[in-house]
Amino acid sequence: MNPLRHDFIQSCLLSFLPQPPTPAEPLRYLDVGCGGGIFAESAARLPTTRSVTAIDPSPTILEVARAHAKRDPSLAGGKLEYVSETIESLALPARPEDRFDVVSVFEVVEHVDYPAAFLDRVGEFVRPGGWLVLSTIARTWTSWVTTNLVAEDLLGVVPKGTHDWYKYLNEDELRGYFAGKGGVATAEG
Amino acid sequence: MDAVIRGRAAYVCRSCTQRFQRQLRRSYASAAAKPDIYDVVCVGGGPAGLSLLTALRANPVTSHLRIALVEAQDLAKVKSWKLPPDRFSNRCSSLTPSSALFLDQIGAWRHLERDRVQAYQEMQVWDGVTGARIEFDWAPGSAPAAGTTIAYMNENLNLTSGLLKRLEELGGVAMFDNARVERITYGEETEEMDLREWPVVHLSGGKQLSARLLVGADGANSPVRSFAGINARGWDYNRHGVVATVEMEGEGWGGDHTKIAYQRFLPTGPVAMLPLPGNYSTLVWSTTPRNASLLKSLSAKDFTAMVNAAFRLSPTDLEYMHTQESGQAEEYSWRMEHTPVDYRAVPQTVMGVQEGTVASFPLKLRHADTYIGERVALVGDAAHTIHPLAGQGLNQGQGDVQSLAKTIEYAVNHGQDIGVTMSLEPYVAERYAANHLLLGVCDKLHKLYSVGSGPLVPLRSVGLSAVNALGPLKSFFMNQAAGNGIKVF
């Protein structure tokens, strides 16, 4: 799934840029809720990336992420930085142009109690002209069967209570939210 | 080594490497080990290994990767390989148009000595026991748009030499030739990095190369495959392939513009005569080890007679002639007086054999359980060894390389670590079943035609004759042979 995230980001960037980003003008990423760093590592490896700031509130999982990043020497040297913060506690760069080219929020919104307030805060970290890219689980029968019934109850691959189906958001709800902010949303199902 | 780090944003960038080295010097001043880190370390500078590195260097997406090649031979000698126009190496391979296209795409094809490469447009295949025959020629209108070439015969050294010239033009590969792999171990964990899953190649002379991705292009007895703990299964055919460069009475029945490849299935194995430029051909005769050693011991005159006999006389005649220690030339002329032969249905008469070109190698089937492991990928003969009867060995390797290069390109484009199993999986998914099928088809064909008598013999001939009569089916087979698919004969 992770490669598809990059394809989606590329398609977003290309929809407003005449050409794909080049290593001459590398991008700055903020990955919110980075977990073990699957996306953060891959973003940091791209030659078109200047830096990746990856935040997660859990110091335990950041230890796992840092240990994994040590296995790839190309990630050392400051290009990838893990910070134990929440989006609420993270300091907002004062100047708008110092904010991020791409802010990614992958599989996070569905765990948040107040998604609108959360997304309001996340949006502040996007530089003018930048991209907020997110993915989440829609509230459908399929997601109930796969993420709740199978993953938690039957197979137990994730701890019970990880997912609350009632917190899941549907595409039209997110579209409605962004439309209310005057934003332009693009989606891929 | 810094000279070989090129590109703007190297995967292991220059500053990172230098930083590590500085840090290591600081914290481990007494320790000699500072890892020399490469993105790709390829062991084996044969056609597969060189094509892979050329493909990676020629592609702007992967050209920033830090690459090393380890080869036991002297690559300068291979690169400057040169033979007079009337001498040909005995190790030739058939290159399908799709292999040639790939070599062209990576910019290597134009570096081959093109006047030493021979295209052929027809194949004649027949059963040595029953005489049933299939003629692979293009019916009017059935030829593909790409041309009528079924395949190209080419000396392996012409290919490796051309690839090395192309690599030199591209630059940026650290070449460790005349180098033996002493052992392969895993890296270590330090304060800054954890290379415990990274293979480290130890070369004779003490040089150590740490590999993000270690590629085994190191042949059938691949040390890289052993290191990765991947088994190769299969069997020996108890057959040897006898090769030689021979001189024919002319440039072939079809002249210079329609060259023909011939293959006759004998109970001991197939014998093939494949066209080279001018009056020359290359012979591949699969036969028993005993017959092979007899053939190698014969005088040029007797050897020539045996090759002519192999395409003309009955299996019984041939069996007898293999019991003679010498005098095959006389035996052959006597027996030919009593054997009616449609001379245009067989290769032109062999007039002589080039000195020092008669050699043999054992034939076997091997297939590795998988082509990938954590930070390891196998290509070419390290992954599979095939019976040469369909001339597909080298082409399978080219198919592997094309697929692996594409897999690496995808991984780089999506920020994946190119060495981890997850990044390499598309390669094995694309190639394993295709190679397995081809290995199986060639194996079954060998076994089917090894039978000298019994109920299978008339049945297999019905197969060949029926295919020959059915035009569309035959075109399909020919397109398969020339394309990426299976060569069925």
Side-chain angles (χ1 to χ4, degrees), chain B residues 68-353:
Chain B
L69 172 67
V70 178
E71 164 60 42
Q73 289 190 61
D74 185 344
L75 289 174
K77 274 190 196 151
V78 177
K79 193 168 67 194
S80 60
W81 169 82
K82 195 123 192 108
L83 278 180
D86 59 348
R87 297 278 304 172
F88 288 90
S89 155
N90 58 2
R91 295 309 302 268
C92 295
S93 294
S94 167
L95 285 170
T96 60
S98 53
S99 294
L101 180 66
F102 171 59
L103 289 166
D104 191 40
Q105 283 164 350
I106 63 175
W109 189 244
R110 62 194 156 84
H111 287 278
L112 269 65
E113 301 258 0
R114 291 300 308 281
D115 50 4
R116 300 183 71 88
V117 180
Q118 181 61 59
Y120 61 88
Q121 293 80 16
E122 272 189 46
M123 291 188 291
Q124 295 271 350
V125 182
W126 70 103
D127 186 330
V129 178
T130 66
R133 173 178 286 269
I134 178 163
E135 288 152 11
F136 290 90
D137 54 355
W138 301 101
S142 73
T148 55
T149 296
I150 293 173
Y152 301 87
M153 286 311 298
N154 176 49
E155 296 153 289
N156 294 356
L157 277 164
N158 191 10
L159 176 57
T160 44
S161 168
L163 283 164
L164 281 168
K165 285 174 191 150
R166 173 62 175 148
L167 266 181
E168 183 180 53
E169 182 180 271
L170 290 163
V173 172
M175 301 273 191
F176 298 94
D177 61 348
N178 296 310
R180 205 159 42 82
V181 174
E182 296 215 313
R183 64 185 194 282
I184 307 172
T185 59
Y186 284 106
E188 290 167 3
E189 186 177 18
T190 64
E191 199 112 310
E192 293 81 20
M193 51 189 153
D194 177 3
L195 301 184
R196 286 174 300 172
E197 285 177 356
W198 284 50
V200 181
V201 180
H202 299 251
L203 303 181
S204 44
K207 181 84 192 154
Q208 297 181 15
L209 315 171
S210 300
R212 177 186 297 279
L213 174 62
L214 174 62
V215 176
D218 46 354
N221 298 316
S222 166
V224 171
R225 192 182 62 220
S226 313
F227 162 75
I230 300 170
N231 279 318
R233 295 164 206 279
W235 42 84
D236 296 345
Y237 284 110
N238 192 29
R239 292 288 186 280
H240 280 233
V242 178
V243 292
T245 306
V246 293
E247 191 175 350
M248 322 292 285
E249 61 175 309
E251 55 189 6
W253 298 119
D256 186 38
H257 55 281
T258 309
K259 287 278 196 167
I260 307 166
Y262 297 88
Q263 180 150 268
R264 186 189 192 199
F265 282 90
L266 294 167
T268 44
V271 55
M273 186 67 80
L274 304 151
L276 290 174
N279 294 0
Y280 300 95
S281 280
T282 185
L283 171 84
V284 186
W285 188 348
S286 311
T287 188
T288 61
R290 239 184 75 185
N291 285 358
S293 59
L294 174 86
L295 289 171
K296 285 193 288 183
S297 73
L298 295 178
S299 67
K301 202 174 110 196
D302 286 337
F303 180 82
T304 303
M306 282 301 271
V307 174
N308 284 322
F311 288 95
R312 291 167 178 80
L313 295 181
S314 74
T316 319
D317 288 334
L318 280 168
E319 202 178 327
Y320 173 74
M321 287 168 73
H322 276 104
T323 61
Q324 297 180 288
E325 273 176 28
S326 63
Q328 276 85 353
E330 293 74 26
E331 189 70 24
Y332 172 67
S333 13
W334 180 79
R335 282 177 190 257
M336 276 303 283
E337 287 169 24
H338 307 277
T339 310
V341 171
D342 174 4
Y343 67 95
R344 290 191 72 106
V346 295
Q348 289 185 324
T349 306
V350 175
M351 308 306 284
V353 55

Side-chain angles (χ1 to χ4, degrees), chain A residues 116-188:
Chain A
F118 171 77
L119 288 175
D120 283 347
R121 174 70 179 165
V122 167
E124 291 173 15
F125 287 82
V126 183
R127 73 157 172 81
W131 284 88
L132 167 62
V133 183
L134 62 117
S135 62
T136 185
I137 309 171
R139 197 170 62 258
T140 62
W141 286 109
T142 317
S143 69
W144 181 81
V145 170
T146 52
T147 64
N148 295 82
L149 182 72
V150 176
E152 292 186 16
D153 299 338
L154 298 180
L155 297 179
V157 288
V158 293
K160 203 160 163 52
T162 300
H163 296 111
D164 180 351
W165 189 75
Y166 294 98
K167 283 190 188 173
Y168 292 2
L169 297 173
N170 285 343
E171 190 193 328
D172 57 325
E173 292 160 349
L174 281 168
R175 274 190 188 283
Y177 164 79
F178 286 113
K181 302 284 163 191
V184 186
T186 174
E188 210 168 74

Side-chain angles (χ1 to χ4, degrees), chain A residues 34 40 44 51-55 62 66 75 78-83:
Chain A
C34 64
S51 68
V52 177
T53 304
I55 63 166
L62 288 184
R66 287 195 188 99
L75 296 174
K79 202 175 174 189
L80 171 63
E81 192 187 9
Y82 287 111
V83 191

Side-chain angles (χ1 to χ4, degrees), chain A:
Chain A
M1 185 170 81
N2 197 53
L4 299 179
R5 293 167 167 169
H6 288 289
D7 288 337
F8 182 62
I9 294 171
Q10 279 295 309
S11 71
C12 291
L13 294 169
L14 279 172
S15 67
F16 276 79
L17 288 175
Q19 60 191 34
T22 64
E25 295 169 34
L27 304 175
R28 296 171 67 239
Y29 286 76
L30 171 65
D31 188 27
V32 180
C34 64
I38 293 174
F39 175 76
E41 275 196 9
S42 63
R45 272 190 208 100
L46 293 176
T48 51
T49 298
R50 187 200 299 177
S51 68
V52 177
T53 304
I55 63 166
D56 202 285
S58 160
T60 322
I61 203 148
L62 288 184
E63 275 315 299
V64 175
R66 287 195 188 99
H68 193 271
K70 256 180 80 178
R71 299 187 198 175
D72 184 350
S74 74
L75 296 174
K79 202 175 174 189
L80 171 63
E81 192 187 9
Y82 287 111
V83 191
S84 180
E85 299 272 9
T86 64
I87 195 70
E88 291 79 13
S89 65
L90 188 68
L92 184 68
R95 300 190 313 166
E97 59 270 30
D98 289 341
R99 294 169 194 169
F100 295 89
D101 299 296
V102 178
V103 177
S104 53
V105 192
F106 292 129
E107 271 65 55
V108 174
V109 189
E110 68 271 20
H111 301 286
V112 171
D113 290 334
Y114 302 102
F118 171 77
L119 288 175
D120 283 347
R121 174 70 179 165
V122 167
E124 291 173 15
F125 287 82
V126 183
R127 73 157 172 81
W131 284 88
L132 167 62
V133 183
L134 62 117
S135 62
T136 185
I137 309 171
R139 197 170 62 258
T140 62
W141 286 109
T142 317
S143 69
W144 181 81
V145 170
T146 52
T147 64
N148 295 82
L149 182 72
V150 176
E152 292 186 16
D153 299 338
L154 298 180
L155 297 179
V157 288
V158 293
K160 203 160 163 52
T162 300
H163 296 111
D164 180 351
W165 189 75
Y166 294 98
K167 283 190 188 173
Y168 292 2
L169 297 173
N170 285 343
E171 190 193 328
D172 57 325
E173 292 160 349
L174 281 168
R175 274 190 188 283
Y177 164 79
F178 286 113
K181 302 284 163 191
V184 186
T186 174
E188 210 168 74

